[in-house]
């Protein structure tokens, strides 16, 4: 069953609300713009042959025989249609937010309700360009497992207090922990559509994956800073990609790095706001290696023994940052411009590390798994801090590895976020490409320790 077309547009235009109905049958609504129909036809001809369901919501009804011929011919001429569409950057606007609708997760066959409260959409929108004051030192984002002594105690207290305060904000405050989870869901499950169309949007499985999450983390951290009254508060990262083993090669640094393999203890105190009771048993099992190779479909695999799991992670890291990441398309994900439909099948558009990143979601499990709820577990932000760190490492790992800065559909794309003062901020992808602009850098740890993995 193809998933490369827009369920919502079919649902909405055809007046069908039952999403599973749409999944199981190929719906054709003849009032659809030809482009939608063409995309649907291209990806679903085979499915359609098996299972055509005609919905007549137009002044005329095609017979299935005629419609089939019509679809096949559209499929054949698809390249012509696509070539006529001028590429243009995707911009989330206030109208995008105002026209938010329930989304859909095909994997779970689930409709999602994640739109931001409309009352937060009436204020001004202020452009935001990250700029670092050169007189101030860069903040350092550190590996969680390497904090110790006083620094660990202070960080633990602040992190837990920050989430306590964020969880205490009213649910309709865009800075609340509740809305942080919801906005990620809205951006990730097709609740938003491209303006003046029904083409749903998703920041995953495309070259927006890294920039979107960098901004999302930035504003999330800003909110924590404001709640704590501490502008220096810095979210540290979960360093699960470290390839240190129980018997590291002579001369290599081991120290704290090995602990990065395990679920960070700081997020596992049931009495604190950083805890989530809704995780897989794996996350509560001490000294269990996070498995970067869990396929999404086998969420309940029992974990591998330590050395095997570390070796497997090293292979995953090597493949997704080195072998399979030699171009920007390969590492960042597919191009995504105005008119492109939402990819509901991750494999069609994701970057080389995005799949491994998903393994961490599924390994932690519970609400951390699906995009609908993942940002409602505080560990999400430590996980994505590491994802963000890997984006900074990738260009250093080989020739020709750079962001697609000559592609204006990447550079000029825009997102909206609420800042720490509840002001809606408009950001551009092009301003996201260095962490220094945001005033921080990552601690050098056992960086790219998997680089030499022979495969
Ligand atoms: Cu927006 Cu790890 O997902």
């Amino acid at each position: 069953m193809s998933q490369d077309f827009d369920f919502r547009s079919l649902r909405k235009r055809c007046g069908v609300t039952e999403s599973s109905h749409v999944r199981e049958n190929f719906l054709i609504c003849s009032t659809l713009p030809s482009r939608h129909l063409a995309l649907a036809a291209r990806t679903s001809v085979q499915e359609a042959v098996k299972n055509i369901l005609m919905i007549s919501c137009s002044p005329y009804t095609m017979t299935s025989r005629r419609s089939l011929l019509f679809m096949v011919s559209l499929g054949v001429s698809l390249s012509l249609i696509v070539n006529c569409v001028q590429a243009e950057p995707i911009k989330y606007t206030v109208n995008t937010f105002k026209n938010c609708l329930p989304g859909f997760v095909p994997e779970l066959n689930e409709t999602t309700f994640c739109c931001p409260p409309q009352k937060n959409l009436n204020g001004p929108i202020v452009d935001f360009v990250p700029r670092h004051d050169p007189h101030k030192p860069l903040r350092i984002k550190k590996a969680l497992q390497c904090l110790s002594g006083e620094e660990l105690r202070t960080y633990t207290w602040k992190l837990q207090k920050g989430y306590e305060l964020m969880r205490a904000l009213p649910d309709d405050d865009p800075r609340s922990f509740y809305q942080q989870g919801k906005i990620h869901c809205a951006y990730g499950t097709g609740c938003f559509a491209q303006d003046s169309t029904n083409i749903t949007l998703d920041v995953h499985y495309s070259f927006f994956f890294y920039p979107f999450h960098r901004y999302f983390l930035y504003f999330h951290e800003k909110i924590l800073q404001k709640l704590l009254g501490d502008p220096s508060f810095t979210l540290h990262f979960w360093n699960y990609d470290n390839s240190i083993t129980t018997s590291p090669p002579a001369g290599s640094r081991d120290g704290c790095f090995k602990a990065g393999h395990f679920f960070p203890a700081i997020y596992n105190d049931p009495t604190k706001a950083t805890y989530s009771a809704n995780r897989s048993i794996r996350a509560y099992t001490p000294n269990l290696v996070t498995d970067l190779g869990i396929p999404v479909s086998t969420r309940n695999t029992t974990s591998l023994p330590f050395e095997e799991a570390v070796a497997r992670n090293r292979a995953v890291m090597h493949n997704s940052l080195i072998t399979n990441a030699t171009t920007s398309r390969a590492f960042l994900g597919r191009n995504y411009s105005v008119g492109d439909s939402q990819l509901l099948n991750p494999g069609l558009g994701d970057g080389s590390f995005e799949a491994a990143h998903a393994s961490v979601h599924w390994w932690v499990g519970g609400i951390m798994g699906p995009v609908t709820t993942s940002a409602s577990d505080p560990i999400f932000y430590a996980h994505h801090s590491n994802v963000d760190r890997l984006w900074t490492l990738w260009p250093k790992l080989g020739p020709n590895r750079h962001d697609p800065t000559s592609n204006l559909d990447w550079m000029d794309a825009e997102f909206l976020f609420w800042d720490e003062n509840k002001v809606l901020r408009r950001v551009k992808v092009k301003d996201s490409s260095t962490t220094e602009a945001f005033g921080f850098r990552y601690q050098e740890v056992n960086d790219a320790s998997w680089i030499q993995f022979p495969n």
Side-chain angles (χ1 to χ4, degrees), residues 184 204 213 357 361 380 384:
H184 177 258
H204 304 92
H213 289 90
H357 129 278
H361 280 285
F380 174 97
H384 267 275

Side-chain angles (χ1 to χ4, degrees), residues 184-185 187-188 202-204 209 212-213 216 354 357-358 361 368-369 371 374-375 380 383-384 387:
H184 177 258
C185 163
Y187 267 110
D202 185 351
V203 288
H204 304 92
F209 177 69
F212 169 83
H213 289 90
F216 183 43
E354 202 180 333
H357 129 278
H361 280 285
M368 241 299 259
V371 66
S374 57
F380 174 97
H383 168 32
H384 267 275
V387 172

